[in-house]
Amino acid sequence: MRLTTLEKCEVGVKLGKSIYNENGHILLAKGTSLTDPLITRLKTLNIFTVYIEDDASEGIEIIDVIPEELRIEAVNVITDGLDSIAGLNSSKNNIQGMFKTGRAIRSFQKIFRDIHSVLSNNRTALNLLASTKVHDSYVYSHSLNVSIYVCQLAIENGWPLKNIEEVGLGAMLHDVGKMFISPDILNKHGSLTAEEYEHVKTHAELGFGLLKKIHEIPLPVAHCALQHHERIDGKGYPRGLTGDKIHHYSKILSVADVFDAVTNHRTYRRAILPHKGLELLYAGSGTQFDSKQIELFRGCIAVYPPGLTVKLNDGRTGIVSKYNFNAVGRPELRIIKDEYGEEVQPYDIDLSSHQNLTLEIIEADTLLN
């Protein structure tokens, strides 16, 4: 099985996984043969990547740490919850607004407990990079991804359940302040002006100001919204905090936030390859980011998960067949095309082996679209 874009799907290829809509209902079941009308229909629903079964990827096992049904439910909870919380200030009926907000917080807590339950029994690397999208909005999907990364990091840190649940809630709510930023600015194509960037930066204070008013939310959770752009060398915002003045929740949140942000496509810039995202974190180790958290993060994510199609610097194309924990940017591949783009009899190579050290992944299908 492998993940591919609909643009590259041939008519007749069979789905390797069922496709769900945003309500969790199956749109197309596993094993369905794709036709031109079905492919066109999926594109109109903003579904551009699918898992397929073919001879080239036979035997490649895909392990979803977070079940698709749970991802869909979580995105919907985050969508409804952030909208409810953001509407608290504008609610004409304050009692009604507080009731809706309290209900939203309880929904956040429940869905995060479900995520924690799954991850606490997880023995494989997190595979979020090769997930099919279930929601158009970057803020909602990003909030979910960050909360999953943060949950796994908190588990790796050995934190008590109370702290894990608090930082998880903080991760889900860390970008709530962006609900007050103009969509025209958030979704702007091209670079922001200096004035626009300063406006976007206000989301940290705006989110904190809102969350600290909600009595169901512990203050450390509100500080996740305030401090997730702080850096340990003092060059972050909004307050330029340094070192231990930054809450330990925010130190793991910043690592997860940056990695997910740079490895996902945005309207104003293209995504970077996962191993480059990890290199970016390491470049800021000890200055911008907590070194321990980067090491823990490196050990719990699948930078190039099985089933992902990649292209090498010598022109060959392959499917990731096995993840290398000791060389996260250098997985084992099943080569399916030669340097001229011609299909070949599949064969395996290990990018971490000595003879393949000059090879490098330069493209990852579905990640940079």
Side-chain angles (χ1 to χ4, degrees):
M1 191 188 310
R2 64 185 170 111
L3 186 69
T4 188
T5 61
L6 283 176
E7 293 292 343
K8 296 181 179 179
C9 280
E10 296 180 358
V11 172
V13 71
K14 291 185 177 181
L15 286 178
K17 286 186 180 182
S18 297
I19 298 175
Y20 297 81
N21 64 14
E22 291 184 6
N23 296 317
H25 300 135
I26 293 180
L27 289 174
L28 291 177
K30 175 182 177 180
T32 300
S33 295
L34 291 180
T35 61
D36 277 330
L38 285 177
I39 291 173
T40 300
R41 175 59 176 159
L42 290 175
K43 290 178 181 178
T44 64
L45 295 172
N46 293 314
I47 297 172
F48 299 103
T49 60
V50 293
Y51 278 99
I52 64 170
E53 293 179 339
D54 58 10
D55 293 340
S57 61
E58 184 178 0
I60 295 178
E61 184 181 5
I62 311 297
I63 300 176
D64 281 333
V65 176
I66 305 296
E68 192 71 11
E69 297 90 336
L70 180 55
R71 281 189 62 89
I72 293 170
E73 182 184 2
V75 169
N76 287 331
V77 165
I78 290 172
T79 302
D80 295 340
L82 290 182
D83 289 345
S84 294
I85 292 171
L88 180 61
N89 282 354
S90 59
S91 176
K92 295 181 180 179
N93 186 333
N94 194 50
I95 295 177
Q96 183 185 42
M98 291 296 289
F99 175 77
K100 289 177 66 177
T101 298
R103 185 171 58 188
I105 298 303
R106 290 190 292 275
S107 296
F108 277 126
Q109 292 169 330
K110 179 188 178 299
I111 201 68
F112 184 77
R113 289 189 186 108
D114 292 341
I115 291 171
H116 174 261
S117 177
V118 170
L119 293 182
S120 62
N121 295 309
N122 175 40
R123 296 295 179 269
T124 60
L126 280 177
N127 173 8
L128 302 187
L129 291 164
S131 299
T132 52
K133 294 183 179 179
V134 296
H135 203 289
D136 278 345
S137 173
Y138 170 79
V139 171
Y140 303 133
S141 298
H142 173 67
S143 297
L144 173 58
N145 285 347
V146 171
S147 66
I148 294 171
Y149 284 139
V150 161
C151 182
Q152 188 67 57
L153 265 174
I155 292 171
E156 297 297 325
N157 275 278
W159 289 357
L161 181 59
K162 174 181 180 295
N163 298 103
I164 294 175
E165 291 186 345
E166 281 189 350
V167 73
L169 181 59
M172 287 186 173
L173 295 170
H174 78 282
D175 265 346
V176 67
K178 285 187 176 177
M179 307 298 288
F180 304 104
I181 305 299
S182 169
D184 291 337
I185 294 178
L186 289 179
N187 301 317
K188 179 181 177 180
H189 292 269
S191 301
L192 299 178
T193 65
E195 183 179 358
E196 288 169 336
Y197 180 57
E198 288 302 316
H199 181 54
V200 170
K201 287 167 64 176
T202 64
H203 79 276
E205 292 274 13
L206 290 171
F208 175 67
L210 176 61
L211 295 180
K212 71 178 182 179
K213 296 177 184 178
I214 303 173
H215 71 272
E216 292 97 340
I217 294 179
L219 190 58
V221 171
H223 274 281
C224 288
L226 179 67
Q227 297 183 9
H228 66 281
H229 285 291
E230 298 287 0
R231 300 293 181 258
I232 59 178
D233 59 3
K235 295 182 180 179
Y237 68 85
R239 300 184 178 177
L241 301 178
T242 58
D244 291 338
K245 293 179 182 178
I246 302 172
H247 197 282
H248 53 282
Y249 288 177
S250 299
K251 287 182 179 179
I252 73 169
L253 178 54
S254 64
V255 170
D257 178 52
V258 168
F259 182 79
D260 189 71
V262 300
T263 55
N264 277 281
H265 183 59
R266 300 298 308 280
T267 55
Y268 56 86
R269 57 141 177 82
R270 297 192 65 76
I272 65 175
L273 289 168
H275 73 276
K276 296 295 183 182
L278 202 56
E279 288 174 6
L280 185 150
L281 291 176
Y282 271 102
S285 179
T287 54
Q288 293 183 299
F289 310 106
D290 186 289
S291 300
K292 175 186 175 183
Q293 301 311 322
I294 294 175
E295 288 296 328
L296 290 175
F297 188 69
R298 175 185 179 274
C300 68
I301 63 166
V303 176
Y304 290 105
L308 194 67
T309 303
V310 299
K311 188 173 182 179
L312 298 174
N313 55 349
D314 67 356
R316 288 182 291 174
T317 299
I319 306 168
V320 177
S321 57
K322 187 177 180 181
Y323 186 66
N324 279 328
F325 280 93
N326 294 323
V328 294
R330 308 190 68 78
E332 293 184 23
L333 303 180
R334 181 175 298 173
I335 300 298
I336 58 173
K337 292 183 180 179
D338 62 20
E339 61 270 30
Y340 305 107
E342 300 293 330
E343 293 185 359
V344 297
Q345 183 67 30
Y347 62 93
D348 296 331
I349 64 172
D350 184 351
L351 293 185
S352 67
S353 68
H354 178 71
Q355 62 266 33
N356 291 320
L357 290 182
T358 59
L359 295 176
E360 182 181 6
I361 293 173
I362 58 170
E363 292 181 19
D365 193 14
T366 76
L367 295 189
L368 303 184
N369 293 295

